[in-house]
Amino acid sequence: MLQIAPSILAADFLRLEKDIQLVNRCGDVIHLDVMDGTLVPNISFGFSVIDHVARIATAPMDAHLMVVHPERWFEKIAKDGVQMCSFHYEAARRNTSRFIARLHELGLKAGVAINPDVPVEKLFPYIGKADYFLVMSVFAGFGGQKFIYESLDRVAKLRAEIGKRGAKAIIEIDGGINLGNARAVEEAGVDLAVAGSSVFGAEDPAAAISALRGA
Ligand code: DX5
Ligand code: ZN
């Protein structure tokens, strides 16, 4: 079954507690989008919000760092009790293995994220090292964008390569996930789907999560 990580970026920030409790109750993972306005053309939120979320989170937290120099924040993220942390390959390049090792040292699950214009093969050297791969299905920076269908091929290629090497890794997909593509992403080999607007924009977010899961 597809696991669902509702993205807090689309939550109601005036009633954030209500939305976090909903994810605790009905979601699998709390997805936290951190943007710096440099790696991506938008600024979201930082530790002032994550510290608060951490106080009431019972579901595992997943920090998606869309920032340059992500390694500056690994320690603080670990202190907040975040379990999964991904950084962008575009921000790490030749430091990718070192950043994965540092996250492991801090007791975190390490994820490597890529934007749609980065060849998926760039992730292959980290199979067997990273715990998960975050394949962006829109360009990182904004919620509510349209799903890029070529992402399905990218996921399938990555899933096949992980299988070929007899390795283990979770594939997470992020951007434009809704009921119209959830089954296709699952079939392509995704384990964990991030969903922002299709969950928090729904009339009944709890029902939207179970529909996306396919339960
Ligand atoms: C985009 C973020 C996503 C975003 C997804 O850069 O990484 O996590 O919140 O939002 P939707 O599901 O609305 O595309
Ligand atoms: Zn994200």
Side-chain angles (χ1 to χ4, degrees), residues 125-200:
Y126 311 106
I127 294 174
K129 292 183 178 172
D131 300 285
Y132 67 107
F133 294 104
L134 196 173
V135 177
M136 289 303 302
S137 40
V138 300
F139 281 88
F142 298 91
Q145 302 182 72
K146 222 171 139 264
F147 182 76
I148 299 173
Y149 266 89
E150 287 75 18
S151 313
L152 295 176
D153 275 355
R154 290 157 60 74
V155 166
K157 262 194 201 166
L158 179 60
R159 177 51 74 206
E161 190 65 25
I162 294 168
K164 206 169 94 189
R165 300 190 190 193
K168 263 206 203 152
I170 288 170
I171 301 184
E172 183 176 21
I173 198 161
D174 186 2
I177 300 299
N178 57 37
L179 266 185
N181 53 41
R183 299 290 70 79
V185 307
E186 188 175 12
E187 243 164 67
V190 167
D191 307 287
L192 177 64
V194 176
S197 26
S198 67
V199 167
F200 292 111

Coordinates of all heavy atoms in Angstrom, one line a residue, residues 125-200:
P125 N 24.8 6.2 -7.9 CA 26.0 5.9 -7.0 C 25.6 5.9 -5.5 O 26.4 5.4 -4.7 CB 26.9 7.1 -7.2 CG 26.5 7.7 -8.5 CD 25.0 7.4 -8.7
Y126 N 24.4 6.4 -5.1 CA 24.0 6.4 -3.7 C 23.1 5.3 -3.3 O 22.6 5.2 -2.2 CB 23.5 7.8 -3.4 CG 24.4 8.8 -3.9 CD1 24.1 9.6 -5.1 CD2 25.7 9.0 -3.4 CE1 25.0 10.5 -5.6 CE2 26.6 9.9 -3.9 CZ 26.2 10.6 -5.1 OH 27.1 11.5 -5.6
I127 N 22.8 4.4 -4.3 CA 22.0 3.2 -4.0 C 22.9 2.3 -3.0 O 24.1 2.1 -3.3 CB 21.6 2.4 -5.3 CG1 20.7 3.3 -6.1 CG2 21.0 1.1 -4.9 CD1 20.3 2.7 -7.5
G128 N 22.3 1.9 -1.9 CA 23.1 1.1 -1.0 C 23.6 2.0 0.1 O 24.1 1.6 1.1
K129 N 23.6 3.4 -0.1 CA 24.0 4.3 0.9 C 22.9 5.1 1.5 O 22.7 5.1 2.7 CB 25.0 5.3 0.3 CG 26.3 4.7 -0.2 CD 27.3 5.8 -0.7 CE 28.6 5.2 -1.1 NZ 29.5 6.1 -1.8
A130 N 22.1 5.7 0.6 CA 20.9 6.5 1.1 C 19.8 5.6 1.5 O 19.6 4.5 1.0 CB 20.4 7.4 0.0
D131 N 19.0 6.0 2.5 CA 17.9 5.2 2.9 C 16.7 5.4 2.0 O 15.8 4.6 1.9 CB 17.5 5.6 4.4 CG 18.6 5.4 5.3 OD1 18.8 4.2 5.7 OD2 19.3 6.3 5.7
Y132 N 16.6 6.6 1.4 CA 15.5 6.9 0.5 C 15.9 7.9 -0.5 O 16.9 8.7 -0.4 CB 14.3 7.3 1.3 CG 14.3 8.7 2.0 CD1 13.6 9.7 1.5 CD2 15.0 8.8 3.2 CE1 13.5 10.9 2.2 CE2 14.9 10.0 3.9 CZ 14.2 11.1 3.4 OH 14.2 12.3 4.1
F133 N 15.1 7.9 -1.6 CA 15.4 8.9 -2.7 C 14.1 9.6 -2.9 O 13.0 9.0 -2.9 CB 15.7 8.1 -4.0 CG 17.1 7.4 -3.9 CD1 17.1 6.1 -3.7 CD2 18.2 8.2 -3.9 CE1 18.4 5.4 -3.5 CE2 19.5 7.5 -3.8 CZ 19.5 6.2 -3.6
L134 N 14.2 11.0 -3.0 CA 13.0 11.8 -3.2 C 13.0 12.3 -4.6 O 13.8 13.1 -5.0 CB 13.0 13.0 -2.2 CG 11.7 13.7 -2.0 CD1 11.8 14.7 -0.9 CD2 11.2 14.4 -3.2
V135 N 12.1 11.7 -5.5 CA 12.1 12.1 -6.9 C 11.0 13.2 -7.0 O 9.8 13.0 -6.7 CB 11.7 10.9 -7.7 CG1 11.5 11.3 -9.2 CG2 12.7 9.8 -7.6
M136 N 11.4 14.4 -7.3 CA 10.5 15.5 -7.5 C 9.7 15.3 -8.8 O 10.2 15.1 -9.8 CB 11.2 16.9 -7.6 CG 11.9 17.4 -6.3 SD 10.8 17.5 -4.9 CE 9.5 18.7 -5.5
S137 N 8.3 15.4 -8.6 CA 7.5 15.3 -9.8 C 6.9 16.7 -10.2 O 6.0 16.8 -11.1 CB 6.4 14.3 -9.6 OG 5.9 14.4 -8.3
V138 N 7.5 17.7 -9.6 CA 7.3 19.1 -10.1 C 8.7 19.8 -9.7 O 9.5 19.2 -9.0 CB 6.2 19.9 -9.3 CG1 4.8 19.2 -9.5 CG2 6.5 20.1 -7.8
F139 N 8.9 21.0 -10.2 CA 10.1 21.7 -9.8 C 9.9 22.2 -8.4 O 8.9 22.9 -8.1 CB 10.5 22.8 -10.8 CG 11.1 22.3 -12.0 CD1 10.4 21.9 -13.1 CD2 12.5 22.1 -12.1 CE1 11.0 21.3 -14.2 CE2 13.1 21.6 -13.2 CZ 12.4 21.1 -14.3
A140 N 10.9 21.9 -7.5 CA 10.8 22.2 -6.1 C 10.6 23.7 -5.9 O 11.2 24.5 -6.7 CB 12.0 21.8 -5.4
G141 N 9.7 24.1 -5.0 CA 9.6 25.5 -4.7 C 8.2 25.9 -4.4 O 8.0 26.9 -3.6
F142 N 7.2 25.2 -5.0 CA 5.8 25.7 -4.7 C 4.9 24.4 -4.6 O 5.1 23.5 -5.4 CB 5.3 26.6 -5.9 CG 6.1 27.8 -6.0 CD1 7.2 27.9 -6.8 CD2 5.7 29.0 -5.2 CE1 7.9 29.1 -6.9 CE2 6.5 30.1 -5.3 CZ 7.6 30.2 -6.1
G143 N 3.9 24.5 -3.8 CA 2.8 23.5 -3.8 C 1.9 23.8 -4.9 O 1.9 24.9 -5.6
G144 N 1.0 22.9 -5.2 CA -0.1 23.1 -6.1 C 0.2 23.1 -7.6 O -0.5 23.6 -8.4
Q145 N 1.4 22.6 -7.9 CA 1.8 22.5 -9.3 C 1.3 21.2 -10.0 O 0.9 20.3 -9.3 CB 3.3 22.6 -9.5 CG 4.0 23.8 -8.9 CD 5.5 23.8 -9.2 OE1 5.9 23.9 -10.3 NE2 6.2 23.5 -8.1
K146 N 1.4 21.2 -11.3 CA 0.9 20.0 -12.1 C 1.9 18.9 -12.1 O 3.1 19.2 -12.4 CB 0.5 20.5 -13.5 CG -0.7 19.9 -14.0 CD -1.1 20.6 -15.3 CE -1.7 19.5 -16.3 NZ -0.8 18.9 -17.2
F147 N 1.5 17.7 -11.9 CA 2.4 16.5 -11.9 C 3.0 16.3 -13.3 O 2.4 16.4 -14.3 CB 1.5 15.3 -11.6 CG 2.2 14.0 -11.5 CD1 3.0 13.6 -10.4 CD2 2.1 13.1 -12.6 CE1 3.7 12.4 -10.4 CE2 2.8 11.9 -12.5 CZ 3.6 11.5 -11.4
I148 N 4.3 16.1 -13.3 CA 5.1 15.9 -14.5 C 5.1 14.4 -14.8 O 5.7 13.6 -14.0 CB 6.5 16.4 -14.4 CG1 6.4 18.0 -14.2 CG2 7.3 16.1 -15.7 CD1 7.8 18.6 -13.9
Y149 N 4.4 13.9 -15.8 CA 4.2 12.5 -16.1 C 5.5 11.7 -16.3 O 5.6 10.5 -16.0 CB 3.2 12.2 -17.1 CG 1.8 12.0 -16.5 CD1 1.0 13.1 -16.2 CD2 1.4 10.8 -16.0 CE1 -0.2 13.0 -15.5 CE2 0.3 10.6 -15.3 CZ -0.5 11.7 -15.0 OH -1.7 11.5 -14.3
E150 N 6.5 12.4 -16.9 CA 7.8 11.7 -17.1 C 8.4 11.2 -15.8 O 9.3 10.3 -15.8 CB 8.8 12.7 -17.8 CG 8.5 13.0 -19.2 CD 7.4 14.0 -19.4 OE1 7.0 14.6 -18.5 OE2 6.9 14.0 -20.6
S151 N 7.9 11.7 -14.7 CA 8.5 11.2 -13.4 C 8.2 9.7 -13.2 O 9.0 9.1 -12.5 CB 7.8 12.0 -12.3 OG 7.7 13.4 -12.5
L152 N 7.2 9.2 -13.8 CA 6.9 7.8 -13.6 C 8.0 6.9 -14.2 O 8.4 5.9 -13.6 CB 5.5 7.4 -14.3 CG 4.3 8.1 -13.8 CD1 3.1 7.7 -14.6 CD2 4.1 7.7 -12.3
D153 N 8.5 7.3 -15.4 CA 9.6 6.6 -16.0 C 10.9 6.7 -15.1 O 11.6 5.7 -15.0 CB 10.0 7.2 -17.3 CG 9.2 6.7 -18.4 OD1 8.4 5.8 -18.1 OD2 9.3 7.2 -19.6
R154 N 11.1 7.9 -14.5 CA 12.3 8.1 -13.7 C 12.2 7.2 -12.4 O 13.2 6.5 -12.1 CB 12.4 9.5 -13.3 CG 12.7 10.4 -14.5 CD 12.3 11.9 -14.3 NE 12.9 12.6 -13.1 CZ 14.2 13.0 -13.0 NH1 15.0 12.8 -14.0 NH2 14.6 13.6 -12.0
V155 N 11.0 7.1 -11.9 CA 10.8 6.2 -10.7 C 11.1 4.8 -11.1 O 11.8 4.0 -10.4 CB 9.4 6.4 -10.1 CG1 9.1 5.3 -9.1 CG2 9.3 7.8 -9.4
A156 N 10.5 4.4 -12.2 CA 10.6 3.0 -12.6 C 12.1 2.6 -12.9 O 12.5 1.5 -12.5 CB 9.8 2.7 -13.9
K157 N 12.8 3.5 -13.5 CA 14.3 3.3 -13.7 C 15.0 3.1 -12.4 O 15.9 2.2 -12.3 CB 14.9 4.5 -14.4 CG 15.0 4.4 -15.9 CD 15.9 5.5 -16.4 CE 15.6 5.7 -17.9 NZ 16.2 6.9 -18.4
L158 N 14.7 4.0 -11.5 CA 15.4 3.9 -10.2 C 15.0 2.7 -9.4 O 15.9 2.0 -8.9 CB 15.0 5.2 -9.4 CG 15.6 5.3 -8.0 CD1 17.1 5.4 -8.0 CD2 15.0 6.6 -7.3
R159 N 13.7 2.3 -9.4 CA 13.3 1.1 -8.8 C 14.0 -0.1 -9.4 O 14.4 -1.0 -8.6 CB 11.8 1.0 -8.9 CG 11.1 -0.2 -8.3 CD 11.5 -0.5 -6.9 NE 10.9 0.3 -5.9 CZ 11.5 0.6 -4.7 NH1 12.6 0.1 -4.3 NH2 10.9 1.4 -3.9
A160 N 14.1 -0.2 -10.7 CA 14.7 -1.3 -11.4 C 16.2 -1.4 -11.0 O 16.7 -2.5 -10.7 CB 14.6 -1.1 -12.9
E161 N 16.9 -0.3 -10.9 CA 18.3 -0.3 -10.6 C 18.5 -0.7 -9.1 O 19.5 -1.5 -8.8 CB 18.9 1.1 -10.8 CG 20.4 1.2 -10.7 CD 21.2 0.5 -11.8 OE1 20.6 0.3 -12.9 OE2 22.3 0.1 -11.5
I162 N 17.6 -0.3 -8.2 CA 17.7 -0.7 -6.8 C 17.6 -2.2 -6.7 O 18.3 -2.9 -6.1 CB 16.7 0.0 -5.9 CG1 16.9 1.5 -5.9 CG2 16.6 -0.5 -4.5 CD1 15.8 2.4 -5.3
G163 N 16.6 -2.7 -7.5 CA 16.3 -4.2 -7.5 C 17.5 -4.9 -8.1 O 17.9 -5.9 -7.5
K164 N 18.0 -4.4 -9.2 CA 19.2 -5.1 -9.9 C 20.4 -5.2 -8.9 O 21.1 -6.2 -9.0 CB 19.6 -4.2 -11.1 CG 20.3 -5.0 -12.2 CD 20.4 -4.1 -13.4 CE 21.8 -3.4 -13.5 NZ 21.9 -2.4 -14.5
R165 N 20.5 -4.3 -8.1 CA 21.7 -4.3 -7.1 C 21.4 -5.0 -5.8 O 22.2 -5.1 -4.9 CB 22.1 -2.9 -6.8 CG 22.6 -2.1 -8.0 CD 23.2 -0.8 -7.6 NE 23.4 0.0 -8.8 CZ 24.2 1.1 -8.8 NH1 24.9 1.4 -7.7 NH2 24.4 1.8 -9.8
G166 N 20.1 -5.5 -5.7 CA 19.7 -6.2 -4.5 C 19.8 -5.3 -3.3 O 20.0 -5.8 -2.2
A167 N 19.6 -4.0 -3.5 CA 19.7 -3.0 -2.4 C 18.3 -2.7 -1.9 O 17.3 -3.2 -2.4 CB 20.3 -1.8 -2.9
K168 N 18.3 -1.9 -0.8 CA 17.0 -1.5 -0.3 C 16.9 0.0 -0.2 O 17.9 0.6 0.2 CB 16.9 -2.1 1.2 CG 16.1 -3.3 1.3 CD 15.6 -3.4 2.7 CE 15.3 -4.8 3.2 NZ 15.4 -4.9 4.6
A169 N 15.9 0.6 -0.6 CA 15.7 2.0 -0.5 C 14.2 2.3 -0.7 O 13.6 1.7 -1.5 CB 16.6 2.8 -1.5
I170 N 13.8 3.3 0.0 CA 12.4 3.8 -0.1 C 12.4 4.9 -1.3 O 13.4 5.7 -1.4 CB 12.0 4.5 1.2 CG1 11.7 3.4 2.2 CG2 10.7 5.4 1.0 CD1 11.5 3.9 3.6
I171 N 11.5 4.8 -2.1 CA 11.3 5.9 -3.1 C 10.1 6.8 -2.7 O 9.0 6.3 -2.5 CB 11.1 5.4 -4.6 CG1 12.3 4.5 -5.0 CG2 11.0 6.5 -5.5 CD1 12.3 4.0 -6.4
E172 N 10.4 8.0 -2.6 CA 9.4 9.0 -2.2 C 9.2 9.9 -3.4 O 10.2 10.2 -4.2 CB 9.9 9.9 -1.0 CG 9.0 10.9 -0.5 CD 9.6 11.7 0.8 OE1 10.8 11.6 1.0 OE2 8.8 12.2 1.5
I173 N 8.0 10.3 -3.7 CA 7.7 11.2 -4.8 C 7.0 12.4 -4.2 O 6.3 12.4 -3.2 CB 6.8 10.5 -5.9 CG1 6.9 11.3 -7.2 CG2 5.4 10.3 -5.4 CD1 6.5 10.5 -8.4
D174 N 7.2 13.6 -4.9 CA 6.8 14.8 -4.3 C 6.4 15.8 -5.4 O 7.2 16.2 -6.2 CB 7.9 15.4 -3.4 CG 7.5 16.6 -2.6 OD1 6.4 17.0 -2.7 OD2 8.4 17.2 -1.9
G175 N 5.1 16.2 -5.4 CA 4.6 17.3 -6.3 C 3.5 16.8 -7.2 O 3.6 15.9 -7.9
G176 N 2.4 17.5 -7.0 CA 1.2 17.2 -7.8 C 0.5 15.9 -7.7 O -0.2 15.4 -8.6
I177 N 0.7 15.3 -6.5 CA 0.1 13.9 -6.3 C -1.4 14.1 -6.0 O -1.7 14.9 -5.1 CB 0.9 13.1 -5.2 CG1 2.3 12.9 -5.6 CG2 0.1 11.8 -4.9 CD1 2.6 12.1 -6.8
N178 N -2.2 13.4 -6.7 CA -3.6 13.4 -6.4 C -4.2 12.0 -6.8 O -3.5 11.1 -7.2 CB -4.3 14.5 -7.2 CG -4.0 14.4 -8.7 OD1 -4.0 13.4 -9.2 ND2 -3.9 15.6 -9.3
L179 N -5.5 11.9 -6.7 CA -6.2 10.6 -7.0 C -6.0 10.2 -8.4 O -6.1 9.0 -8.7 CB -7.7 10.7 -6.6 CG -8.0 10.3 -5.2 CD1 -9.5 10.3 -5.1 CD2 -7.5 8.9 -4.9
G180 N -5.8 11.1 -9.3 CA -5.6 10.8 -10.7 C -4.3 10.2 -11.0 O -4.2 9.6 -12.1
N181 N -3.3 10.3 -10.2 CA -2.0 9.6 -10.5 C -1.5 8.7 -9.4 O -0.4 8.1 -9.5 CB -1.0 10.7 -10.9 CG -0.9 11.8 -9.8 OD1 -0.9 11.6 -8.6 ND2 -0.8 13.1 -10.2
A182 N -2.2 8.7 -8.2 CA -1.6 7.9 -7.1 C -1.4 6.4 -7.4 O -0.4 5.8 -7.0 CB -2.6 8.0 -5.9
R183 N -2.3 5.8 -8.2 CA -2.2 4.4 -8.5 C -1.0 4.2 -9.5 O -0.2 3.2 -9.4 CB -3.4 3.8 -9.1 CG -4.6 3.8 -8.1 CD -4.5 2.8 -6.9 NE -3.6 3.2 -5.9 CZ -3.8 4.1 -4.9 NH1 -4.9 4.8 -4.9 NH2 -2.8 4.3 -4.0
A184 N -0.8 5.1 -10.4 CA 0.3 5.0 -11.4 C 1.6 5.2 -10.7 O 2.6 4.5 -11.0 CB 0.1 6.1 -12.4
V185 N 1.7 6.1 -9.7 CA 3.0 6.2 -9.0 C 3.3 5.0 -8.2 O 4.5 4.6 -8.1 CB 3.1 7.5 -8.2 CG1 2.8 8.8 -9.0 CG2 2.4 7.5 -6.9
E186 N 2.3 4.4 -7.6 CA 2.5 3.2 -6.8 C 3.0 2.1 -7.7 O 3.9 1.4 -7.4 CB 1.1 2.8 -6.1 CG 1.3 1.7 -5.1 CD 0.0 1.4 -4.4 OE1 -1.1 1.9 -4.8 OE2 0.0 0.7 -3.4
E187 N 2.4 2.0 -8.9 CA 2.8 0.9 -9.8 C 4.2 1.1 -10.3 O 4.9 0.2 -10.6 CB 1.8 0.9 -11.0 CG 1.0 -0.3 -11.2 CD -0.1 -0.1 -12.1 OE1 0.1 0.1 -13.3 OE2 -1.3 -0.1 -11.6
A188 N 4.6 2.4 -10.5 CA 6.0 2.7 -10.9 C 7.0 2.3 -9.9 O 8.2 2.2 -10.3 CB 6.1 4.1 -11.3
G189 N 6.6 2.2 -8.6 CA 7.6 1.7 -7.6 C 7.7 2.7 -6.5 O 8.7 2.6 -5.7
V190 N 6.8 3.7 -6.3 CA 6.9 4.6 -5.2 C 6.4 3.9 -3.9 O 5.4 3.2 -4.0 CB 6.1 5.9 -5.5 CG1 5.9 6.7 -4.3 CG2 6.8 6.7 -6.6
D191 N 7.1 4.2 -2.8 CA 6.6 3.7 -1.5 C 5.8 4.8 -0.7 O 4.9 4.5 0.0 CB 7.8 3.3 -0.6 CG 8.7 2.3 -1.4 OD1 8.3 1.1 -1.5 OD2 9.8 2.7 -1.8
L192 N 6.3 6.0 -0.9 CA 5.8 7.1 0.0 C 5.6 8.3 -0.9 O 6.4 8.8 -1.6 CB 6.9 7.4 1.0 CG 6.7 8.6 2.0 CD1 5.5 8.3 2.9 CD2 7.9 8.9 2.8
A193 N 4.3 8.8 -0.9 CA 3.9 9.9 -1.7 C 3.6 11.1 -0.9 O 2.8 11.0 0.1 CB 2.7 9.6 -2.6
V194 N 4.3 12.2 -1.2 CA 4.0 13.5 -0.5 C 2.7 14.1 -1.2 O 2.6 14.0 -2.4 CB 5.2 14.5 -0.7 CG1 4.8 15.9 -0.1 CG2 6.4 13.9 -0.1
A195 N 1.8 14.6 -0.4 CA 0.6 15.3 -0.9 C 0.3 16.5 -0.1 O 0.1 16.4 1.1 CB -0.5 14.3 -0.9
G196 N 0.3 17.6 -0.8 CA 0.0 18.9 -0.1 C -1.4 19.3 -0.4 O -2.4 19.1 0.4
S197 N -1.6 19.9 -1.6 CA -3.0 20.5 -1.9 C -4.1 19.5 -2.0 O -5.2 19.7 -1.6 CB -2.9 21.4 -3.1 OG -1.9 21.0 -4.0
S198 N -3.7 18.2 -2.4 CA -4.8 17.2 -2.6 C -5.3 16.7 -1.2 O -6.3 16.1 -1.1 CB -4.3 16.1 -3.5 OG -3.3 15.3 -2.9
V199 N -4.5 17.0 -0.1 CA -5.0 16.6 1.2 C -5.6 17.8 1.9 O -6.8 17.8 2.2 CB -3.8 16.0 2.1 CG1 -4.2 16.0 3.5 CG2 -3.4 14.7 1.5
F200 N -4.8 18.9 2.0 CA -5.3 20.0 2.8 C -6.3 20.9 2.1 O -7.0 21.7 2.7 CB -4.2 20.8 3.4 CG -3.4 20.1 4.4 CD1 -2.1 19.6 4.1 CD2 -3.9 19.7 5.6 CE1 -1.4 18.9 5.1 CE2 -3.2 19.0 6.6 CZ -1.9 18.6 6.3

